[in-house]
């Protein structure tokens, strides 16, 4: 390269950007953005650039009731102010169900399911806090801190959830707002519960590349990637799975979480190859997506570094939307790992590059 050339080498770019400090992933991304190349979405050390959203942080599930019998009995008969308040809000059929609850009864699962559904309506509603109602209830520091903020939307639901857990410390398990961690250089799910980790930025037309493996699950489910997602707002409750389109990796299962859908979908999903990859081994995955067209294609290579095969295609212009990209922990008890995550925005090549 001629010394007077307007073109800039990567070495000179890093030097201008700040020497040693710029030789990190940040500098690599600066270089990639300047030249139109792929950008790292994960540095192998922190979860910076990603947000976490755990469903059980703002809603209750049957599995989070530690002792359904004790909980049902307390709601049905206790005279404490919180139980009296909740009982007054329950449908008559649910009141009757918990009053006669028995774990050996034929309808015990339906009873708890109906109870959980109604309690989640309470959690998603106005603040349940009242000084007299919660007199005698020991509030955790997290609860007390959030209470002082007079939260709204998703944070208000979180407060209501914490208040219920504090009122029923023996009956309800403690929820968490984090379900992902960095483990041995990979983004790893902790099995804590259903939820997502999603990018801080929105993306429209992109090539997403990552290496992944499914470690274990109890109950088991394929690892899941979500695209064309709806970003949660501070004011309202987030959509389940961010209302996105799910690609199950590496073997190509799928689901449509758009509002009003929640199905496996139809002809918009096309299985290109009926893959039988070992989910417990590392796979290299490429997803090429275009929100404007509502298209996405997925190719998988196993072992990582080998030639990939196209596994799954999606096409529905109505589904395409700019939004975050997410890994989904489908249910509690799942352990998945992702690493070497990069994204190329507005790729010059409209083809899957790992299949050639």
């Amino acid at each position: 390269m001629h010394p007077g050339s307007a073109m800039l080498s990567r070495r000179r770019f890093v030097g201008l950007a700040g020497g040693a400090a710029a030789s990190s992933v940040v500098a690599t991304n600066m270089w990639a953005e300047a030249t139109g190349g792929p950008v790292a979405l994960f540095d192998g050390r922190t979860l910076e650039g990603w947000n976490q959203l755990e469903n059980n942080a703002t809603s209750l599930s049957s599995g989070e009731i530690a002792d359904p019998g004790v909980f049902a009995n307390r709601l049905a008969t206790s005279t404490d102010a919180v139980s009296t308040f909740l009982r007054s809000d329950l449908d008559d059929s649910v009141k009757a169900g918990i009053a006669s609850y028995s774990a050996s009864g034929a309808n015990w699962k339906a009873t708890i399911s109906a109870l959980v559904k109604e309690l989640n309506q309470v959690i998603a509603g106005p603040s349940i806090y009242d000084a007299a109602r919660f007199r005698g209830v020991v509030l955790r520091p997290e609860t007390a801190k959030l209470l002082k903020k007079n939260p709204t939307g998703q944070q208000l639901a979180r407060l209501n959830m914490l208040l219920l857990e504090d009122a029923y410390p023996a009956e309800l398990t403690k929820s968490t707002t984090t379900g992902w961690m960095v483990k041995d250089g990979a983004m790893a799910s902790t099995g804590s519960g259903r939820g997502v980790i999603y990018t801080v930025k929105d993306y429209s037309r992109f090539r997403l590349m990552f290496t992944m493996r499914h470690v274990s699950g109890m109950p088991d489910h394929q690892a899941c990637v979500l695209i064309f997602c709806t970003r949660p707002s501070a004011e309202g409750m987030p959509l389940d799975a961010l209302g996105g389109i799910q690609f199950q990796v590496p073997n190509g299962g799928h689901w449509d979480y758009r509002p009003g859908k929640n199905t496996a979908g139809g002809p918009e999903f096309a299985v290109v190859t009926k893959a039988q990859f070992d989910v417990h081994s590392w796979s290299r995955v490429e997803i090429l997506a275009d929100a404007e067209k509502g298209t996405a294609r997925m190719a998988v290579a196993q072992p990582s570094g080998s030639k990939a095969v196209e596994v799954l295609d999606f096409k529905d212009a109505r589904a395409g939307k700019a939004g975050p990209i997410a890994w989904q922990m489908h249910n509690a008890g799942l352990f998945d790992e992702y690493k070497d995550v990069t994204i190329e925005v507005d790729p010059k090549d409209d083809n899957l590059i790992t299949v050639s």
Side-chain angles (χ1 to χ4, degrees), residues 53-59 64 122-125 128 140 142-143 146-147 151-166 173-178 237-238:
L53 180 64
E54 292 298 299
N55 286 25
N56 69 5
T58 55
S59 63
E64 291 163 305
V122 174
I123 292 170
I128 66 172
R140 285 168 288 170
E142 180 185 357
T143 311
L146 189 54
L147 182 61
T152 60
Q154 182 182 337
Q155 286 301 301
L156 174 56
R158 176 61 181 159
L159 173 60
N160 284 339
M161 186 72 182
L162 291 172
L163 287 167
L164 284 185
E165 291 172 1
D166 289 347
T173 60
K174 300 298 186 288
S175 58
T176 178
T177 57
T178 57
M237 292 293 288

Side-chain angles (χ1 to χ4, degrees), residues 108-185:
W108 72 271
K109 285 187 178 180
T111 298
I112 295 301
S113 179
L115 173 62
V116 165
K117 183 177 180 180
E118 295 216 5
L119 289 179
N120 279 331
Q121 292 177 353
V122 174
I123 292 170
S127 174
I128 66 172
Y129 182 78
D130 176 84
R133 183 180 300 149
F134 279 82
R135 185 179 295 119
V137 175
V138 178
L139 301 183
R140 285 168 288 170
E142 180 185 357
T143 311
K145 183 178 179 180
L146 189 54
L147 182 61
K148 292 179 180 178
K149 295 182 178 180
N150 295 315
T152 60
Q154 182 182 337
Q155 286 301 301
L156 174 56
R158 176 61 181 159
L159 173 60
N160 284 339
M161 186 72 182
L162 291 172
L163 287 167
L164 284 185
E165 291 172 1
D166 289 347
Y168 300 94
E171 294 86 353
L172 301 178
T173 60
K174 300 298 186 288
S175 58
T176 178
T177 57
T178 57
W180 294 78
M181 62 182 292
V182 178
K183 179 182 178 183
D184 299 327

Side-chain angles (χ1 to χ4, degrees), residues 22-347:
S23 63
S24 64
V25 171
V26 173
T28 302
N29 282 355
M30 290 170 62
W31 170 256
E33 289 172 351
T35 58
V39 172
L41 288 182
F42 171 58
D43 64 8
R45 299 187 301 275
T46 73
L47 296 179
E48 184 178 351
W50 296 76
N51 292 324
Q52 299 196 47
L53 180 64
E54 292 298 299
N55 286 25
N56 69 5
T58 55
S59 63
L60 184 67
S61 70
S62 300
E64 291 163 305
I65 302 177
D67 192 325
V70 172
F71 187 48
N73 181 67
R74 186 172 168 189
L75 286 177
T77 64
S78 179
T79 58
D80 72 83
V82 178
S83 295
T84 301
F85 163 73
L86 293 175
R87 187 164 57 244
S88 68
D89 233 24
L90 297 177
D91 183 81
D92 287 344
S93 62
V94 176
K95 289 180 187 177
I98 61 175
S100 60
Y101 177 83
S102 170
S104 59
N107 297 322
W108 72 271
K109 285 187 178 180
T111 298
I112 295 301
S113 179
L115 173 62
V116 165
K117 183 177 180 180
E118 295 216 5
L119 289 179
N120 279 331
Q121 292 177 353
V122 174
I123 292 170
S127 174
I128 66 172
Y129 182 78
D130 176 84
R133 183 180 300 149
F134 279 82
R135 185 179 295 119
V137 175
V138 178
L139 301 183
R140 285 168 288 170
E142 180 185 357
T143 311
K145 183 178 179 180
L146 189 54
L147 182 61
K148 292 179 180 178
K149 295 182 178 180
N150 295 315
T152 60
Q154 182 182 337
Q155 286 301 301
L156 174 56
R158 176 61 181 159
L159 173 60
N160 284 339
M161 186 72 182
L162 291 172
L163 287 167
L164 284 185
E165 291 172 1
D166 289 347
Y168 300 94
E171 294 86 353
L172 301 178
T173 60
K174 300 298 186 288
S175 58
T176 178
T177 57
T178 57
W180 294 78
M181 62 182 292
V182 178
K183 179 182 178 183
D184 299 327
M187 300 174 68
S189 61
T190 64
S192 61
R194 184 175 174 90
V196 297
I197 184 168
Y198 60 98
T199 56
V200 168
K201 293 183 178 181
D202 290 344
Y203 298 96
S204 179
R205 181 171 173 270
F206 58 88
R207 185 191 315 279
L208 177 69
M209 305 274 285
F210 55 91
T211 303
M212 59 74 56
R213 67 176 177 179
H214 172 59
V215 179
S216 64
M218 189 179 295
D220 214 356
H221 194 280
Q222 299 294 302
C224 304
V225 178
L226 299 169
I227 59 173
F228 304 149
C229 297
T230 299
R231 180 171 297 281
S233 68
E235 295 76 24
M237 292 293 288
L239 297 174
D240 183 33
L242 302 184
I245 300 300
Q246 180 202 78
F247 277 24
Q248 296 176 15
V249 287
N251 286 319
H254 48 80
W255 201 262
D256 187 343
Y257 282 106
R258 283 178 288 170
K261 297 284 186 179
N262 198 23
T263 69
E268 64 269 27
F269 289 99
V271 176
V272 181
T273 302
K274 291 185 177 180
Q276 293 184 326
F277 295 112
D278 177 4
V279 298
H280 303 296
S281 296
W282 290 104
S283 297
R284 186 66 175 166
V285 181
E286 175 185 6
I287 295 178
L288 185 65
D290 189 331
E292 185 175 340
K293 298 177 181 177
T295 60
R297 301 166 63 193
M298 181 176 79
V300 179
Q302 191 182 94
S304 181
S306 62
K307 183 178 179 180
V309 295
E310 188 167 358
V311 174
L312 181 67
D313 287 0
F314 175 85
K315 184 174 183 180
D316 186 345
R318 296 167 298 179
K321 62 185 303 181
I325 297 164
W327 314 143
Q328 180 192 21
M329 186 159 34
H330 182 271
N331 51 264
L334 290 177
F335 297 89
D336 301 314
E337 295 180 353
Y338 298 79
K339 63 181 181 179
D340 304 326
V341 187
T342 65
I343 192 165
E344 181 182 358
V345 176
D346 294 324

